[in-house]
Amino acid sequence: MTWNRHHILSLADFTPEEYNTVLQTAASFKEVLSRRTKKVPSLQGQVVTNLFFEPSTRTRSSFEIAAKRLSADILNFAASSSSLTKGETILDTAKTYLALGTDIMVIRHRESGVPQAIAAEMDRLGKRVGVLNAGDGQHEHPSQALLDLFTICTLLNPDAPKCELLAGKKIAIVGDILHSRVARSNIWSLTASGAEVHLAAPPTLLPPEFAQYVGSAERLKIHWEIEPALDKADFVMTLRLQKERMSQHLLPSLREYHQLFGMTRDRLRLCQPDVKILHPGPVNRGVEISSDLMDDPAFSLISEQVTSGVAVRMALLYLMGSSSKIGGTG
Amino acid sequence: MTWNRHHILSLADFTPEEYNTVLQTAASFKEVLSRRTKKVPSLQGQVVTNLFFEPSTRTRSSFEIAAKRLSADILNFAASSSSLTKGETILDTAKTYLALGTDIMVIRHRESGVPQAIAAEMDRLGKRVGVLNAGDGQHEHPSQALLDLFTICTLLNPDAPKCELLAGKKIAIVGDILHSRVARSNIWSLTASGAEVHLAAPPTLLPPEFAQYVGSAERLKIHWEIEPALDKADFVMTLRLQKERMSQHLLPSLREYHQLFGMTRDRLRLCQPDVKILHPGPVNRGVEISSDLMDDPAFSLISEQVTSGVAVRMALLYLMGSSSKIGGTG
Amino acid sequence: MTWNRHHILSLADFTPEEYNTVLQTAASFKEVLSRRTKKVPSLQGQVVTNLFFEPSTRTRSSFEIAAKRLSADILNFAASSSSLTKGETILDTAKTYLALGTDIMVIRHRESGVPQAIAAEMDRLGKRVGVLNAGDGQHEHPSQALLDLFTICTLLNPDAPKCELLAGKKIAIVGDILHSRVARSNIWSLTASGAEVHLAAPPTLLPPEFAQYVGSAERLKIHWEIEPALDKADFVMTLRLQKERMSQHLLPSLREYHQLFGMTRDRLRLCQPDVKILHPGPVNRGVEISSDLMDDPAFSLISEQVTSGVAVRMALLYLMGSSSKIGGTG
């Protein structure tokens, strides 16, 4: 197992070895979660701070329970009730939490680049605190893509999830690609794992430049209709549609979106018979996916994704915590 | 001790054996709370999630401290900062917290029936998570009635609180019965324990149908004046008056309400000399009860109720936690 | 070491022995914070409640992490989502948290005197709960002044911080003295330690009566210009400027305030060569202090203050926790 990353900010430069380290570590924590006492002392006495400048329930709860199961202490910072309203800069807020004793900062912000800027400042100050990007603007959401990867690889081989299991698999990503940090992180991890990634969305939500996103037109195809993306797909990742896209005139209506790009039983027939559907949640039932399909355990991996998220986030916090002690170069 | 309930949703079908199991278990936790280190490892590694769709300070804090004293990990969900605003359904929110690893869900919602719907969905999915109703609309608030029962029975016999101690006792419940989930849960527990329950309120807040609430006109009497309810009463439960009842024209004014139905020193003389007064809090001083009476330890059990609440909620979480392991039928 | 205070409400009557007990205890906790596992079991099973009637991120987080490192359980009460909106009095809220099992209450309120009123009520009820004033109106903020004292004394002698180290030192406090609880608490601790304290502010923010604040005109000087206060100063405490002071016509503009009273490199030359600058945070960069000076580790103690805060608050909670067991008279 190799790991010498201090921060987890983007998957753009992740190596297959690093993906596999995360997958293996998450697998061992998944085993811990099946025990009666789902807790290990790995991060006892360490402080994980959730610096959420953008509201979040699901991701924050997932990191919180992951940190608690590693026996860390948690500080939750929510922008609404904060000094930000008192004119403090974001970097000063981060430095305050550093000085309070934070070992790992989990950061979400609606502007792209904020976690990177904080990580750079921590490095400049010579501090060993680790920074984890929990979603920055429309840029990246690495832990979500890693839990998607873990969910898929664990399905393919529960005993030994490895990213190489994705070689040759066809994976469709359907929805608001343009505004999705989840899609961007997934594009990196899936193409690096050898999968063939097909993006599908209306042209307003999928500019042609996306074909060059990972630099290789071979592994990434774009479609302005859903059907070719689904054709013999092994996995379909549906993305959450922000309702504000209507008011921005990027989409006519939710109903039309569902007709053209919603995942339904009819469209299931285009895919492989054992196709599985993912969604990062929260789901707009009947928009991105039909309600009955979402609830069908034969096809939906949505609950598994949430459960995988705890194991994967335990793995990330654990690896960052170890790196900060054994001296990563991240 | 018998216990095979998975969920605690309503007291309508609680048996005296079940009441006594709760009382005995709470008594043993009350003893723990008198120690220097008020903590036991019963729920170590388990996750209790407070799913509060309606704001609450007091009840949430009570469950939180109860869970911490059982060494559980806690997740707090508050509707305001949640995915609900993003269009997620309540059942999907509950399923997300299930997938995150929740063992026991404590649920409050301003609509009646929400905890029941979530519990039914969990059962349908074959999940062993326990659901505790922490107040649903105007329906029930079982843990409040159980802590009231524990407060009274502990007063009657500190060493061995049993619900049979209430046999023949006269208990008045005064106030906004119509809108009160606390009153409804208390009516079940007190009549099942053999007490004679007298309801008193203005007719707008106490429809005649209430006399049939438990099916037996013998154990439940209704009055549209306070005096007959207080006559030789052993205990008086006052209920919180929502100020919005005025704007709904159900009441003329707070002052008139206090004159007609407020608990005062004068009215105390109608009751038994050793009468005790309860209130679920928060109190409107000078409305439901006069300010000096509320603070008089000779008559007021209000503080004891809050303290009992922690012991009773520890007991409920403990019993549900055990049930989910030994296989209750709930 | 002497300590028999139950509550920490004001520094007005603190003795040098008490200051030194806090400094010594904080020094030993600072050592704990440098270990791999930064946690001690001192308050295991005890409950620390943060009763914050005024929003706060920084101070609340500092107390929260301090309490967690002492292994206490924490309850966080935030006024916004509370029963206060339901008409409950502040004293009744405090009594509810007492009855829930609180051992130490950390209280912030925008009205002066609230922590004192709650402490008096707890004493009247014969309860051993400790009350710590975490900022009341414009009155006092003892833990902030104690962490300032610890920061300075630790700099002067890291191995044995004592308040006597301040004898003869010149300390300037610059800014909105009139509205500052931080300034008032610091005036008590610094003059009691033998320092010469110089206050500097525009006349609208520093009434002449302040010269009599500690009863001795010898140890406390006031200035309506910054220069005489800085002249050969050993330490400069800058205070946060509330922007609402402009709308109250107490100040013409932020720019003019910075020109007349802002801490800059130019003004640094008036002070001792090894002068250090403090600020309680959050800082308005370029107002109270120039941005580059704030970030210069040769002069700025701002980060050290935040870190000291955790050690000092651990010390205060620890001392209060011990006092409530060994029987202080506070």
Side-chain angles (χ1 to χ4, degrees):
Chain A
M1 297 218 324
T2 61
W3 193 265
N4 57 9
R5 256 175 214 276
H6 223 56
H7 309 302
I8 299 176
L9 301 170
S10 159
L11 298 184
D13 63 347
F14 254 60
T15 64
E17 290 72 32
E18 288 178 306
Y19 285 118
N20 285 338
T21 297
V22 172
L23 295 175
Q24 271 177 263
T25 311
S28 71
F29 283 122
K30 196 183 176 188
E31 188 274 319
V32 169
L33 295 181
S34 68
R35 294 184 201 157
R36 167 93 178 75
T37 298
K38 310 174 190 74
K39 221 164 167 160
V40 289
S42 314
L43 296 189
Q44 186 141 37
Q46 295 205 38
V47 175
V48 174
T49 297
N50 284 324
L51 269 182
F52 275 55
F53 296 97
E54 185 185 79
S56 161
T57 300
R58 167 185 300 257
T59 304
R60 187 188 51 68
S61 290
S62 181
F63 275 108
E64 194 170 332
I65 203 68
K68 283 179 173 164
R69 289 189 153 162
L70 294 167
S71 304
D73 288 317
I74 324 293
L75 282 181
N76 276 313
F77 166 91
S80 53
S81 60
S82 85
S83 296
L84 285 180
T85 57
K86 300 187 190 168
E88 191 180 48
T89 69
I90 290 170
L91 281 184
D92 284 345
T93 300
K95 280 191 266 185
T96 297
Y97 279 91
L98 172 69
L100 284 170
T102 297
D103 295 288
I104 298 176
M105 286 188 195
V106 178
I107 300 177
R108 170 169 286 197
H109 198 285
R110 70 192 161 82
E111 298 292 331
S112 304
V114 168
Q116 293 76 356
I118 292 175
E121 178 71 5
M122 296 296 144
D123 291 346
R124 198 185 64 75
L125 294 170
K127 304 296 181 183
R128 310 287 304 164
V129 67
V131 175
L132 195 158
N133 178 1
D136 65 320
Q138 300 172 2
H139 177 232
E140 286 226 31
H141 191 351
S143 65
Q144 177 70 42
L146 290 168
L147 76 87
D148 291 341
L149 186 67
F150 181 71
T151 306
I152 292 175
C153 293
T154 299
L155 187 82
L156 296 173
N157 186 344
D159 295 325
K162 283 184 192 180
C163 69
E164 289 79 6
L165 292 162
L166 286 190
K169 297 287 178 189
K170 176 168 177 180
I171 301 182
I173 305 180
V174 180
D176 183 1
I177 313 280
L178 178 60
H179 301 94
S180 175
R181 53 197 179 205
V182 174
R184 282 177 180 77
S185 287
N186 265 312
I187 289 171
W188 287 116
S189 59
L190 298 174
T191 55
S193 300
E196 203 180 279
V197 179
H198 291 252
L199 310 178
T204 47
L205 300 178
L206 180 54
E209 305 88 80
F210 254 90
Q212 273 75 51
Y213 193 69
V214 295
S216 147
E218 242 172 275
R219 292 181 169 179
L220 189 64
K221 314 279 183 196
I222 75 171
H223 309 277
W224 292 324
E225 289 182 315
I226 192 174
E227 287 74 14
L230 296 187
D231 181 44
K232 301 210 167 46
D234 296 286
F235 295 92
V236 180
M237 292 181 160
T238 52
L239 297 175
R240 179 173 168 74
L241 192 73
Q242 308 289 339
K243 285 174 182 171
E244 70 201 58
R245 302 299 169 231
M246 315 301 134
S247 57
Q248 296 165 332
H249 304 294
L250 296 172
L251 279 179
S253 73
L254 293 181
R255 178 183 300 235
E256 186 172 316
Y257 177 83
H258 184 65
Q259 269 186 337
L260 293 174
F261 288 92
M263 205 52 213
T264 60
R265 283 206 186 267
D266 268 0
R267 292 204 167 109
L268 215 51
R269 287 188 218 114
L270 302 169
C271 312
Q272 293 286 3
D274 60 347
V275 66
K276 301 289 175 193
I277 303 171
L278 297 94
H279 190 296
V283 178
N284 295 304
R285 283 177 172 267
V287 180
E288 300 105 37
I289 182 170
S290 69
S291 200
D292 72 307
L293 199 53
M294 177 181 168
D295 292 334
D296 189 337
F299 298 105
S300 167
L301 290 178
I302 298 175
S303 268
E304 279 85 346
Q305 285 174 278
V306 176
T307 303
S308 295
V310 177
V312 166
R313 284 165 179 139
M314 286 175 79
L316 298 179
L317 296 175
Y318 171 81
L319 290 168
M320 291 172 81
S322 309
S323 155
S324 70
K325 267 153 274 150
I326 59 179
T329 56
Chain B
M1 298 218 323
T2 63
W3 192 265
N4 57 8
R5 256 175 215 275
H6 223 56
H7 308 302
I8 298 176
L9 300 169
S10 158
L11 299 185
D13 62 347
F14 253 59
T15 63
E17 291 72 33
E18 289 178 307
Y19 286 117
N20 286 337
T21 298
V22 172
L23 295 175
Q24 271 176 263
T25 311
S28 72
F29 283 122
K30 196 184 176 186
E31 188 273 320
V32 168
L33 294 181
S34 68
R35 295 184 201 158
R36 166 92 177 75
T37 297
K38 310 174 191 73
K39 219 163 168 161
V40 289
S42 315
L43 295 188
Q44 186 140 38
Q46 294 205 38
V47 175
V48 174
T49 297
N50 284 323
L51 269 181
F52 274 55
F53 297 97
E54 185 185 79
S56 160
T57 301
R58 166 186 302 258
T59 305
R60 188 188 50 69
S61 290
S62 182
F63 274 108
E64 194 171 331
I65 203 68
K68 282 179 174 166
R69 289 188 152 160
L70 294 167
S71 304
D73 288 316
I74 324 293
L75 282 181
N76 276 313
F77 166 91
S80 53
S81 58
S82 85
S83 297
L84 285 179
T85 57
K86 300 186 190 170
E88 192 181 48
T89 69
I90 290 170
L91 280 184
D92 285 345
T93 299
K95 280 191 265 185
T96 296
Y97 278 91
L98 172 69
L100 284 170
T102 298
D103 295 288
I104 298 175
M105 285 188 197
V106 178
I107 300 179
R108 170 168 286 197
H109 198 285
R110 70 193 161 81
E111 299 291 331
S112 304
V114 167
Q116 293 76 356
I118 292 175
E121 178 71 5
M122 297 296 143
D123 291 346
R124 198 186 62 78
L125 294 170
K127 304 296 181 182
R128 312 285 306 164
V129 67
V131 175
L132 195 157
N133 178 1
D136 65 320
Q138 301 172 1
H139 176 231
E140 286 226 31
H141 190 353
S143 65
Q144 177 69 43
L146 291 168
L147 76 86
D148 290 342
L149 187 67
F150 180 72
T151 306
I152 292 174
C153 293
T154 300
L155 187 81
L156 296 172
N157 185 343
D159 294 326
K162 283 184 192 180
C163 68
E164 289 80 7
L165 293 162
L166 286 189
K169 297 287 178 189
K170 176 169 178 180
I171 301 183
I173 305 181
V174 181
D176 183 1
I177 313 279
L178 177 59
H179 301 95
S180 175
R181 54 196 178 206
V182 174
R184 282 177 179 77
S185 287
N186 264 311
I187 290 170
W188 287 117
S189 58
L190 298 174
T191 55
S193 301
E196 204 181 278
V197 179
H198 290 250
L199 310 178
T204 47
L205 300 178
L206 179 55
E209 306 89 79
F210 254 90
Q212 274 76 50
Y213 193 71
V214 295
S216 148
E218 242 173 275
R219 292 184 167 176
L220 189 63
K221 314 279 183 195
I222 74 171
H223 309 277
W224 293 323
E225 290 180 316
I226 191 173
E227 287 75 13
L230 296 188
D231 182 45
K232 300 211 169 46
D234 297 286
F235 296 93
V236 180
M237 293 182 162
T238 52
L239 297 175
R240 179 174 168 74
L241 191 74
Q242 307 289 338
K243 286 176 182 169
E244 71 201 55
R245 302 300 168 228
M246 314 302 133
S247 57
Q248 295 165 333
H249 304 294
L250 296 172
L251 278 178
S253 73
L254 293 181
R255 177 183 301 235
E256 185 172 317
Y257 177 83
H258 184 65
Q259 270 186 338
L260 294 175
F261 288 93
M263 205 53 212
T264 59
R265 284 206 185 268
D266 268 0
R267 292 205 167 108
L268 215 52
R269 288 190 217 112
L270 302 169
C271 313
Q272 293 285 4
D274 60 347
V275 65
K276 303 288 175 193
I277 304 171
L278 297 93
H279 190 295
V283 178
N284 296 303
R285 283 177 173 267
V287 179
E288 299 106 37
I289 180 169
S290 68
S291 200
D292 72 307
L293 199 53
M294 177 181 169
D295 292 333
D296 188 337
F299 298 104
S300 168
L301 289 178
I302 298 176
S303 268
E304 278 85 348
Q305 285 174 280
V306 176
T307 303
S308 295
V310 177
V312 167
R313 285 166 179 138
M314 286 174 78
L316 298 179
L317 296 175
Y318 172 82
L319 290 168
M320 292 172 80
S322 309
S323 155
S324 70
K325 267 153 274 149
I326 60 179
T329 56
Chain C
M1 299 218 322
T2 63
W3 192 264
N4 56 8
R5 255 174 215 278
H6 222 57
H7 309 303
I8 299 176
L9 301 170
S10 158
L11 298 184
D13 62 347
F14 253 60
T15 62
E17 291 71 33
E18 288 178 306
Y19 285 118
N20 286 338
T21 297
V22 173
L23 294 175
Q24 271 175 263
T25 311
S28 72
F29 283 122
K30 196 183 175 187
E31 188 273 320
V32 168
L33 294 181
S34 67
R35 294 184 200 158
R36 167 91 178 75
T37 298
K38 310 175 190 72
K39 220 163 168 161
V40 290
S42 315
L43 296 188
Q44 187 140 36
Q46 296 205 37
V47 175
V48 174
T49 297
N50 285 322
L51 269 182
F52 274 56
F53 297 97
E54 184 185 78
S56 161
T57 300
R58 165 186 302 257
T59 305
R60 188 189 50 70
S61 290
S62 181
F63 275 107
E64 194 172 332
I65 203 67
K68 283 179 175 166
R69 289 189 153 160
L70 294 167
S71 303
D73 287 318
I74 324 292
L75 282 180
N76 276 312
F77 165 92
S80 53
S81 58
S82 85
S83 297
L84 285 180
T85 57
K86 299 186 190 170
E88 190 180 48
T89 69
I90 289 169
L91 281 184
D92 284 345
T93 299
K95 280 191 266 185
T96 297
Y97 278 91
L98 172 70
L100 284 171
T102 297
D103 297 287
I104 299 175
M105 285 188 196
V106 178
I107 300 178
R108 169 169 287 197
H109 199 284
R110 70 193 161 81
E111 299 292 331
S112 304
V114 168
Q116 292 76 357
I118 293 175
E121 179 71 4
M122 297 297 142
D123 292 345
R124 198 186 63 78
L125 294 170
K127 303 297 181 181
R128 311 283 309 162
V129 67
V131 175
L132 194 157
N133 178 0
D136 66 319
Q138 300 172 3
H139 176 230
E140 286 227 30
H141 191 351
S143 65
Q144 177 70 42
L146 290 168
L147 76 86
D148 291 341
L149 186 67
F150 180 71
T151 306
I152 292 175
C153 293
T154 299
L155 186 82
L156 295 173
N157 186 343
D159 295 325
K162 284 185 192 179
C163 68
E164 290 79 6
L165 292 162
L166 286 190
K169 297 287 177 189
K170 176 169 177 180
I171 301 183
I173 305 181
V174 181
D176 183 1
I177 313 279
L178 177 60
H179 302 94
S180 175
R181 53 197 179 205
V182 174
R184 282 177 180 75
S185 286
N186 265 311
I187 289 171
W188 287 117
S189 58
L190 298 175
T191 55
S193 300
E196 205 181 279
V197 179
H198 290 251
L199 310 178
T204 46
L205 301 177
L206 180 54
E209 306 88 80
F210 254 91
Q212 273 76 51
Y213 193 71
V214 294
S216 148
E218 241 172 276
R219 291 183 168 176
L220 189 63
K221 314 279 183 196
I222 73 171
H223 309 276
W224 293 325
E225 288 181 318
I226 192 175
E227 287 74 13
L230 296 188
D231 182 45
K232 299 211 169 47
D234 296 287
F235 295 93
V236 180
M237 292 182 161
T238 52
L239 297 175
R240 180 174 166 75
L241 191 74
Q242 308 289 339
K243 285 175 183 169
E244 70 202 57
R245 302 301 169 228
M246 316 301 134
S247 57
Q248 295 165 333
H249 303 295
L250 296 172
L251 278 179
S253 73
L254 293 181
R255 178 183 300 237
E256 185 171 317
Y257 177 84
H258 184 65
Q259 268 185 339
L260 294 175
F261 289 93
M263 204 51 212
T264 60
R265 284 207 185 268
D266 268 1
R267 293 204 166 108
L268 214 53
R269 287 189 218 115
L270 302 168
C271 313
Q272 292 286 4
D274 59 348
V275 66
K276 302 288 175 193
I277 304 170
L278 297 93
H279 190 295
V283 177
N284 295 304
R285 283 177 173 267
V287 179
E288 299 105 38
I289 180 169
S290 67
S291 200
D292 72 308
L293 199 53
M294 176 181 169
D295 292 334
D296 189 338
F299 298 105
S300 167
L301 290 177
I302 298 174
S303 268
E304 277 85 347
Q305 285 174 280
V306 176
T307 304
S308 295
V310 177
V312 166
R313 284 164 179 139
M314 286 175 79
L316 298 179
L317 296 174
Y318 172 82
L319 290 168
M320 292 171 81
S322 309
S323 155
S324 70
K325 267 152 275 149
I326 60 179
T329 56

